[in-house]
Amino acid sequence: MDSLLFFIGVVGNVISVLLFASPIKTFWRIVRRQSTEGFKATPYIVTLLSSSLWVYYGITKPDAYLVATVNGVGIILEAIYVALFLIFASPPLRAETAIWVLILDVGIFGLVVAVTKLAVNGSLRILVIGSIGAFLNVLMYGSPLTLMKTVITTKSVEFMPFLLSLFLFLNGGVWTVYAILDRDIFLGIPNGAGFLLGAAQLILYMIYKNAKVSKHLGETIEDQWQHAPLIGPNGTPAGQSDATNQV
């Protein structure tokens, strides 16, 4: 059982790293154009917080190092994304982004660590950290519903990336199996949601794959998709955001 759990965890790590790396195209565009344009920093700031919490969970819970390692990669990549956003954003947006980084990635994460270290011990500490991480990720799952609604409305998946939906499905499935074998409800709940969400997107893809939408609408949807946070082993979603808003 331990060998099977380790194997599934390694497979999950590989898929999760690919998902963490999926915004590279977006940030290459930002670097090339020297501007963040209409992209939002929020998904990357929140995903950095989520990855940080799951690394803390992974090093607190015995034998959860696979969760810690892949989210460690997530921290590195998300920190790079946020740093690039700070470099190329306009001054007002840069200041606002920095404030949210301080509030969420420094303040909230620091508060969770301080409280659980000073006021909570043993298995209760794992319970608190896991509950916060799972709750955060479940809340973030509302994002992809916007894109799915658009697909149904336009009857087209022309600008809903198939591979991202597929990896969302695979990642959620693999980590759900891992959670079941490890009897870890905190990994199971958000990744189970990710698995179902990915399955729903694939079903929509099969239904509407032959339809087309207008070029203008397609470009709008494609830009929205690029604002998506990732879904990692912790269940962080690949969601949509309004391209006209900032942080």
Side-chain angles (χ1 to χ4, degrees), residues 155-177:
K155 301 186 185 306
S156 173
V157 293
E158 186 174 357
F159 295 95
M160 183 174 75
F162 172 76
L163 287 180
L164 196 54
S165 298
L166 176 62
F167 278 122
L168 174 64
F169 171 77
L170 293 176
N171 190 72
V174 169
W175 283 103
T176 298
V177 173

Side-chain angles (χ1 to χ4, degrees), residues 51-126:
S51 294
S52 301
L53 286 171
W54 286 106
V55 167
Y56 183 37
Y57 177 83
I59 62 178
T60 302
K61 180 184 177 181
D63 300 321
Y65 54 89
L66 286 174
V67 176
T69 53
V70 70
N71 280 284
V73 174
I75 288 176
I76 294 171
L77 290 176
E78 297 304 319
I80 292 173
Y81 300 152
V82 171
L84 289 174
F85 203 96
L86 288 170
I87 292 171
F88 295 110
S90 62
L93 182 56
R94 184 180 301 127
E96 190 174 355
T97 300
I99 290 173
W100 280 111
V101 170
L102 289 174
I103 292 174
L104 296 178
D105 298 325
V106 178
I108 298 298
F109 178 67
L111 181 62
V112 171
V113 172
V115 170
T116 54
K117 285 288 187 182
L118 298 176
V120 183
N121 296 312
S123 59
L124 183 58
R125 180 181 297 166
I126 298 173

